Amino acid sequence: MTDASALAPFHLDEHSESDGSHCLYLFDGDMEQVADVFEEHNAECHGHGWEGLAQSLAHSQMPENGDKLRFFGSEAGTFVVTSPDLEALTELAVLLHSAFHNRERLSEYILTAAPRFLPR
């Protein structure tokens, strides 16, 4: 089991849903803390922007696990990704958490994100 505070402000729900998947969330109040980094690069800073960034990172930095993640359901106020593979979801959570708490890294990830996932 992952220590929930270790990934804050991201929330990792390790309890399987009815379909056997696990969920990773980020809510709008937390997104606002780094919205200016997204805006600086003309990228969407809400749930859809985080989803695009996460998709790009999954493809570029975790190709062996990227196809185990399901990206759908994010909205303006909520980023959400699901997976039946808790290890893959945790790997993505660690990447996103590190970017959230390091503005330079977040900026680099946004700048190098594939435009098909995160248009700018």
Side-chain angles (χ1 to χ4, degrees):
M1 180 175 272
T2 306
D3 176 10
S5 65
L7 297 172
F10 293 89
H11 304 274
L12 181 60
D13 182 357
E14 296 182 27
H15 304 289
S16 292
E17 300 292 325
S18 61
D19 67 354
S21 64
H22 310 277
C23 298
L24 178 66
Y25 302 95
L26 179 66
F27 300 106
D28 59 350
D30 297 311
M31 289 180 220
E32 292 172 5
Q33 296 176 42
V34 293
D36 59 310
V37 180
F38 280 82
E39 292 167 352
E40 178 181 317
H41 301 296
N42 297 316
E44 295 183 59
C45 60
H46 48 66
H48 300 290
W50 276 98
E51 182 172 303
L53 179 62
Q55 283 180 292
S56 183
L57 288 172
H59 284 274
S60 66
Q61 301 219 7
M62 44 185 289
E64 68 287 347
N65 284 328
D67 62 343
K68 298 175 185 174
L69 303 169
R70 293 187 214 130
F71 295 95
F72 62 90
S74 291
E75 298 177 1
T78 307
F79 159 69
V80 61
V81 58
T82 64
S83 178
D85 187 320
L86 183 57
E87 186 177 312
L89 197 58
T90 302
E91 182 180 355
L92 178 64
V94 169
L95 277 171
L96 293 174
H97 173 265
S98 72
F100 187 94
H101 292 286
N102 182 324
R103 288 174 164 270
E104 188 174 304
R105 181 176 296 137
L106 179 59
S107 182
E108 177 186 331
Y109 285 166
I110 293 168
L111 280 172
T112 59
R116 67 183 170 138
F117 299 120
L118 185 62
R120 294 176 297 289

